[in-house]
């Protein structure tokens, strides 16, 4: 198992011809100087294979270790298991360890072999734009709806308050999504019924510059099931293409989110699984 610096792994992946690894470089955008990070190449010392396990720990909260993992073979799974067990045994405190498994292989491997126990397993599918996929253009059903593009916090606080009133259960997410503009996001799309805001889509800035990603889509309860999330997703795709970038939806959790991605014209790319390890 070859241990390398986090920055070296990042450079390897960014420069790789295999775009499967854009998700990892996107995760890097949320990392800060307050984290200690290191990585291992798995299965081979050949950097071109890019099976890896990358570990980060906040200097402010040492109770949590986060692991980013890509395994494409049983050999890599075995090596990852050894590393994770070593992390658990060498840590003086009980740690919460989260695995992002980009193909579901490692979780299945552990469940079959009983080598590591999991809880809070969450699966999400990743989708990417393809110009070979046809989708329905907007029709007369949506004539009363409009979408406002918000860039650089160019909307009054009162408008955000109106949006929160429309989706009160998600106030924290709305405020976080809006406040992230210019930091982790470059656009915030609000959908209106007439002059009433009823939902929004926020995006994520990707470290790999040619991509833009969906962060969150929320629609007011009374307007769900009407295709408005798909309408927002199509608008996001069109706006992204106008910026000469590739649209992504890498965190589609649940059947409804998957349907939105597919109806909007995105194609399935891979499954991601996250889980807490029981120590």
């Amino acid at each position: 198992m070859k241990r390398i610096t986090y920055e070296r792994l990042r450079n390897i992946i960014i420069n790789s011809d295999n775009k499967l690894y854009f998700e990892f470089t996107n995760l890097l955008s949320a990392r800060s100087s307050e984290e200690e990070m290191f990585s291992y190449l798995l299965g081979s010392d050949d950097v071109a294979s890019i099976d890896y396990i990358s570990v980060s720990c906040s200097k402010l909260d040492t109770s949590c270790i986060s692991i980013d993992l890509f395994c494409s073979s049983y050999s890599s799974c075995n090596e990852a298991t050894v590393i994770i067990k070593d992390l658990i045994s060498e840590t003086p405190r009980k740690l919460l360890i989260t695995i992002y498994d980009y193909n579901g292989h490692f979780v299945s491997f552990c469940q079959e072999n009983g080598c590591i126990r999991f809880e809070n397993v969450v699966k999400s599918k990743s989708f990417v734009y393809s110009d070979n996929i046809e989708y329905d253009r907007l029709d007369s059903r949506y004539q009363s709806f409009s979408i406002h593009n918000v860039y650089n916090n160019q909307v009054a606080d009162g408008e955000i308050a109106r949006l929160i009133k429309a989706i009160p259960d998600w106030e924290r997410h709305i405020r976080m999504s809006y406040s992230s503009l210019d930091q982790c996001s470059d656009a915030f799309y609000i959908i209106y019924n007439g002059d009433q805001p009823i939902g929004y889509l926020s995006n994520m800035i990707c470290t790999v510059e040619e991509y833009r990603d969906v962060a969150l889509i929320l629609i007011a309860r009374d307007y769900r099931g009407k295709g408005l999330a798909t309408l927002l997703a199509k608008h996001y795709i069109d706006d992204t293409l106008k910026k000469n970038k590739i649209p992504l939806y890498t965190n589609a959790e649940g059947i409804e989110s998957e349907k939105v991605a597919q109806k909007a014209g995105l194609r399935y790319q891979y499954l991601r699984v996250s889980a807490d390890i029981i120590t």
Side-chain angles (χ1 to χ4, degrees):
M1 292 172 284
K2 185 175 181 181
R3 180 166 168 166
I4 63 173
T5 65
Y6 201 84
E7 281 303 312
R8 184 178 174 221
L9 177 63
R10 180 183 186 276
N11 290 332
I12 290 170
I13 294 174
I14 287 177
N15 294 322
S16 170
D17 292 332
N18 189 337
K19 295 302 181 182
L20 175 64
Y21 305 103
F22 69 81
E23 171 82 359
F24 175 74
T25 54
N26 183 33
L27 287 170
L28 288 174
S29 65
R31 296 293 163 79
S32 71
S33 60
E34 297 176 344
E35 290 180 299
E36 295 179 332
M37 295 165 277
F38 55 90
S39 306
Y40 295 88
L41 294 178
L42 302 175
S44 169
D45 285 344
D46 178 10
V47 295
S49 67
I50 319 183
D51 276 21
Y52 63 82
I53 181 169
S54 194
V55 182
S56 64
C57 181
S58 170
K59 297 176 183 177
L60 303 178
D61 180 10
T62 57
S63 66
C64 179
I65 285 182
S66 178
I67 297 176
D68 298 331
L69 172 68
F70 181 85
C71 287
S72 62
S73 68
Y74 279 104
S75 172
S76 295
C77 286
N78 277 315
E79 293 188 20
T81 299
V82 172
I83 293 170
I84 291 171
K85 287 186 173 181
D86 286 346
L87 287 171
I88 293 172
S89 63
E90 293 171 2
T91 302
R93 298 170 60 183
K94 182 177 180 180
L95 300 183
L96 172 66
I97 304 178
T98 302
I99 290 182
Y100 298 90
D101 182 1
Y102 299 129
N103 59 3
H105 192 74
F106 184 73
V107 171
S108 298
F109 173 82
C110 288
Q111 289 173 338
E112 292 168 3
N113 293 276
C115 51
I116 294 176
R117 293 183 298 155
F118 294 103
E119 64 180 356
N120 302 326
V121 178
V122 177
K123 296 183 179 181
S124 60
K125 291 184 178 180
S126 293
F127 296 82
V128 65
Y129 175 77
S130 172
D131 55 12
N132 295 323
I133 296 179
E134 295 291 333
Y135 63 89
D136 295 334
R137 292 291 174 178
L138 309 186
D139 57 37
S140 58
R141 291 178 297 164
Y142 301 111
Q143 287 182 352
S144 64
F145 299 99
S146 61
I147 297 174
H148 179 200
N149 299 347
V150 181
Y151 305 107
N152 305 313
N153 299 99
Q154 295 173 342
V155 65
D157 290 340
E159 201 63 11
I160 296 300
R162 292 180 68 208
L163 183 59
I164 291 171
K165 186 176 180 180
I167 321 176
D169 295 343
W170 295 87
E171 177 176 356
R172 183 173 67 88
H173 293 79
I174 295 171
R175 293 193 186 280
M176 288 178 60
S177 296
Y178 181 60
S179 64
S180 71
L181 280 170
D182 296 330
Q183 300 172 26
C184 302
S185 171
D186 63 3
F188 186 88
Y189 307 99
I190 302 177
I191 187 169
Y192 291 83
N193 180 25
D195 64 353
Q196 175 62 40
I198 58 170
Y200 79 96
L201 181 152
S202 62
N203 84 307
M204 293 188 293
I205 297 174
C206 294
T207 305
V208 181
E209 293 184 358
E210 62 260 41
Y211 295 105
R212 291 173 87 227
D213 198 357
V214 172
L216 192 62
I217 306 177
L218 289 177
I219 300 293
R221 191 176 302 276
D222 292 344
Y223 291 90
R224 293 172 189 169
K226 302 180 185 297
L228 299 182
T230 302
L231 181 64
L232 271 172
K234 289 178 180 178
H235 183 88
Y236 147 77
I237 290 171
D238 288 341
D239 190 50
T240 299
L241 294 174
K242 288 176 183 176
K243 298 179 186 297
N244 296 315
K245 295 192 175 184
I246 301 170
L248 305 172
Y249 191 163
T250 64
N251 194 29
E253 293 184 8
I255 295 175
E256 292 305 316
S257 294
E258 294 170 20
K259 287 181 179 178
V260 168
Q262 291 170 331
K263 288 180 179 179
L266 302 175
R267 63 174 173 80
Y268 171 73
Q269 188 171 37
Y270 58 82
L271 175 69
R272 184 179 72 182
V273 180
S274 63
D276 296 337
I277 294 180
I278 304 172
T279 58

